[in-house]
Amino acid sequence: MTQALPKLLTFNEFSEWYPNDGKRYELHKGVIIEMPPPTGSHEKVVAFLSRKLTVEFDRLNLPYGIPKTALVKTPTAESAYSPDVLLLNLNNLDNEPLFQKQSTVSQAASVPIVIEVVSTNWRDDYYNKFRDYEEMGIPEYWIADYAALGARKLIGNPKQPTIFVCELVDGEYQMTPFQGNTAISSPTFPQLNLTAQQIFDAAN
């Protein structure tokens, strides 16, 4: 018996399908993925990071904003991600063909920083999204692994809570890990006053 392969969706089909049921969905290479409900600790880290970034871009009077829900569409794979924290450059949204109707960005110029707070599907953040955000050319990608869920080769053995700041250099991400009371170094916000431990403490 040959089994029929499930039909892969295009982004447009995914966008038309997307239900208004209060759940979050992503498209991974044409396959719809329902995102698991976040834990309270996860949401507290998201809220803390959103507040810290908002204070900084407001202080600098930059034309940035953090939407409640928006998708990042990758350039080649039929994928669309719903990041935990998506910093948008509002000045570039007029150039985004999908934003007005579908709240979706597809240009690196629209995304100064994207952050994924790691949960049980940690491989998505460390591998799939890492690759796709890199290919898209997003200049700065944070992986906030507050619960130390990632691979030992990445966060140590025994595993340690880690924040990775991935900076795009010559088309490739350079990953810098931050643990404990080490100050986070952000290329976008060089004066950001934030340590890895403050982020971890936000989860408690």
Side-chain angles (χ1 to χ4, degrees):
M1 288 285 290
T2 56
Q3 202 170 8
L5 293 172
K7 180 182 182 295
L8 299 180
L9 298 185
T10 65
F11 172 76
N12 286 339
E13 290 170 330
F14 169 70
S15 182
E16 289 170 9
W17 165 87
Y18 205 105
N20 187 19
D21 60 3
K23 297 177 182 177
R24 287 172 64 212
Y25 300 91
E26 294 185 339
L27 188 67
H28 292 205
K29 294 184 177 177
V31 177
I32 295 170
I33 304 293
E34 180 182 342
M35 306 308 289
T39 64
S41 295
H42 182 282
E43 289 295 83
K44 287 199 283 186
V45 171
V46 168
F48 178 76
L49 288 169
S50 298
R51 178 166 66 90
K52 285 293 183 182
L53 292 185
T54 300
V55 167
E56 190 65 3
F57 69 69
D58 190 55
R59 182 182 72 82
L60 297 170
N61 200 28
L62 293 169
Y64 293 168
I66 297 175
K68 180 173 181 287
T69 53
L71 291 170
V72 176
K73 181 184 179 300
T74 61
T76 52
E78 286 292 348
S79 297
Y81 300 130
S82 175
D84 289 307
V85 181
L86 175 61
L87 186 62
L88 291 181
N89 177 357
L90 306 180
N91 282 353
N92 195 61
L93 296 184
D94 285 344
N95 301 320
E96 287 282 1
L98 301 170
F99 190 78
Q100 206 58 37
K101 285 188 175 180
Q102 297 164 310
S103 186
T104 299
V105 294
S106 57
Q107 300 173 7
S110 299
V111 187
I113 294 179
V114 63
I115 299 177
E116 298 289 358
V117 178
V118 177
S119 52
T120 50
N121 53 344
W122 61 268
R123 286 177 177 82
D124 285 340
D125 300 326
Y126 277 105
Y127 299 116
N128 298 341
K129 294 179 182 181
F130 178 96
R131 178 194 62 234
D132 288 341
Y133 292 151
E134 179 183 68
E135 182 192 13
M136 189 174 167
I138 292 174
E140 189 171 337
Y141 170 38
W142 292 24
I143 302 171
D145 196 350
Y146 73 93
L149 297 172
R152 290 178 181 83
K153 66 181 179 182
L154 295 166
I155 62 173
N157 187 12
K159 295 183 177 186
Q160 299 289 322
T162 307
I163 308 295
F164 286 97
V165 174
C166 309
E167 179 185 4
L168 197 71
V169 178
D170 296 329
E172 296 181 7
Y173 277 145
Q174 305 298 314
M175 296 178 75
T176 304
F178 298 93
Q179 297 176 335
N181 290 312
T182 309
I184 303 286
S185 177
S186 165
T188 305
F189 297 118
Q191 294 175 292
L192 184 67
N193 185 16
L194 181 64
T195 68
Q197 193 61 49
Q198 285 176 290
I199 299 172
F200 306 146
D201 289 346
N204 299 326

